[in-house]
Amino acid sequence: MTPAISIRNLTKSYEDTIALSGVDITIGDGEFFGLLGPNGAGKTTTINILTGLVRKNEGDTEIFGRDTVTDYRFTRSQVGISAQEFTQDWFFPLDRLLYFQAGYYGIPKEKAKDRVEELLSKLGLVAKRKARLRQLSGGMKRRFQIAKALVHDPKIIILDEPTAGVDVELRHELWDYFRELHKKGKTILLTTHYIEEAEMLCDKVAIIDKGRVIKEGTPKELTSQLGKAGITINVSDPGEELESCLKNFTYTQEDGRIHFTTREPEEALPDIINALTRHGCHIQRVVTTKSSLEDVFLSLTGKGINE
Ligand code: ADP
């Protein structure tokens, strides 16, 4: 199947800064994909090239198999982008700005009306429809930015740091909305330096640092590769037949403490508890350890993502 987004060997330099040095990313249709990296890693440059705002040096960028430079009109029509920086539409009320956006994409008036009303309501902007952008809080501006990206009902949604600077409550509301869009079959490319955001939302994550993708996979694949995951269980009376009852697990034992090595602690836990209780062990304490994408980033680069 043709991928929604395909980026191959993308390079970009700004005067004396190398922003991208050979980025490869493939995003399947309907995938929720996270581009995770620290500030300055090259996330915004990548999506700005994809949407025609920045000119690449070398490489190929395609949307649904069509080149984003030579087939700009088609490829741009497939994408809605919520940029990191707020736009400069300071002088018109929000609803007018959304109607302008609909007009820009050639959406007929009646359809535009339905769409604008739906988005104002979905993003909690109805009460602010006559406000000017400059009168809004950061969180409200962010909601507007997202509404604007969605006016033409694009198949691909690019969200550049969509929850930067918003409070925790709104962040969770926005996450729910992104999940809803994903469920409807939209392809979503999200850039973030919030580890939790990538872990909570994305099917697949590419970790980008210094203009290069250094690792890619599902959050589970990436974290389980570190081998730090496990379960430690304290039991009061391990008994002598423990060995035979735990023969299906990898573990070490020290006095009353059994440490299980497993890549998926949450999945293995019920079976382990079952085996132990069937054997008559009294479980006193269970501790599971799991790695996060932050650990993955640290192990790959030697530094934290927000350092
Ligand atoms: P991110 O989105 O991951 O924070 P960017 O793509 O914005 O990263 O930036 C990548 C690198 O390119 C950084 O070193 C940044 O300073 C540089 N850069 C980005 N835009 C410009 C520009 N317009 N002029 C000069 N350097 C830039």
Side-chain angles (χ1 to χ4, degrees), residues 164-217:
V166 306
D167 63 35
V168 178
E169 197 181 335
L170 176 58
R171 180 170 302 155
H172 285 99
E173 273 175 43
L174 290 175
W175 286 358
D176 285 343
Y177 188 46
F178 300 157
R179 285 194 190 98
E180 190 184 320
L181 292 166
H182 179 223
K183 259 200 203 134
K184 282 188 182 155
K186 303 290 183 193
T187 303
I188 304 180
L189 168 55
L190 168 106
T191 80
T192 187
H193 62 271
Y194 289 116
I195 296 279
E196 204 194 347
E197 188 156 277
E199 279 178 344
M200 299 284 285
L201 297 176
C202 299
D203 302 323
K204 216 168 178 194
V205 169
I207 295 181
I208 182 169
D209 188 38
K210 298 187 184 133
R212 220 178 255 284
V213 172
I214 51 174
K215 197 88 183 171
E216 198 184 316

Side-chain angles (χ1 to χ4, degrees), residues 230-295:
I231 302 171
T232 305
I233 301 187
N234 288 37
V235 292
S236 57
D237 43 5
E240 281 170 13
E241 299 144 37
L242 192 68
E243 212 167 298
S244 68
C245 108
L246 293 181
K247 62 180 186 306
N248 295 330
F249 304 99
T250 311
Y251 69 96
T252 53
Q253 189 193 349
E254 198 190 334
D255 303 322
R257 212 165 75 201
I258 312 168
H259 180 75
F260 296 88
T261 310
T262 165
R263 289 186 167 201
E264 308 294 346
E266 283 148 13
E267 280 157 38
L269 191 60
D271 290 340
I272 291 174
I273 303 261
N274 263 340
L276 287 171
T277 46
R278 243 187 293 128
H279 178 69
C281 284
H282 287 115
I283 294 170
Q284 293 179 320
R285 187 162 181 259
V286 179
V287 178
T288 59
T289 357
K290 242 183 114 173
S291 328
S292 72
L293 286 176
E294 176 81 45
D295 298 323

Side-chain angles (χ1 to χ4, degrees), residues 47-229:
I47 62 178
N48 282 349
I49 292 173
L50 209 52
T51 51
L53 283 176
V54 167
R55 206 182 290 232
K56 70 187 176 187
N57 291 139
E58 277 173 49
D60 293 302
T61 46
E62 289 176 358
I63 303 267
F64 293 120
R66 289 162 70 169
D67 189 275
T68 62
V69 180
T70 57
D71 228 338
Y72 179 73
R73 273 180 79 91
F74 169 79
T75 57
R76 190 64 188 82
S77 73
Q78 302 299 302
V79 178
I81 176 167
S82 165
Q84 195 175 337
E85 303 294 333
F86 295 118
T87 45
Q88 301 295 311
D89 309 324
W90 303 112
F91 303 107
F92 295 99
L94 300 191
D95 55 359
R96 281 278 294 281
L97 292 174
L98 293 178
Y99 280 113
F100 288 160
Q101 185 76 358
Y104 177 73
Y105 283 99
I107 299 170
K109 231 175 174 177
E110 271 311 300
K111 204 169 160 201
K113 188 165 179 293
D114 292 346
R115 192 74 193 138
V116 168
E117 292 309 320
E118 184 191 334
L119 287 168
L120 286 171
S121 149
K122 270 273 172 217
L123 286 149
L125 290 166
V126 175
K128 298 280 178 192
R129 63 185 306 147
K130 293 295 168 206
R132 306 317 194 245
L133 213 49
R134 67 188 134 81
Q135 299 166 320
L136 300 185
S137 66
M140 283 286 174
K141 284 194 189 102
R142 191 59 72 192
R143 289 173 204 233
F144 170 74
Q145 191 99 341
I146 293 165
K148 194 174 154 201
L150 299 178
V151 166
H152 62 297
D153 198 17
K155 287 192 177 153
I156 299 175
I157 301 162
I158 297 181
L159 303 166
D160 193 5
E161 302 275 355
T163 63
V166 306
D167 63 35
V168 178
E169 197 181 335
L170 176 58
R171 180 170 302 155
H172 285 99
E173 273 175 43
L174 290 175
W175 286 358
D176 285 343
Y177 188 46
F178 300 157
R179 285 194 190 98
E180 190 184 320
L181 292 166
H182 179 223
K183 259 200 203 134
K184 282 188 182 155
K186 303 290 183 193
T187 303
I188 304 180
L189 168 55
L190 168 106
T191 80
T192 187
H193 62 271
Y194 289 116
I195 296 279
E196 204 194 347
E197 188 156 277
E199 279 178 344
M200 299 284 285
L201 297 176
C202 299
D203 302 323
K204 216 168 178 194
V205 169
I207 295 181
I208 182 169
D209 188 38
K210 298 187 184 133
R212 220 178 255 284
V213 172
I214 51 174
K215 197 88 183 171
E216 198 184 316
T218 67
K220 232 179 189 179
E221 278 164 1
L222 297 181
T223 51
S224 66
Q225 276 168 14
L226 278 187
K228 280 214 296 189

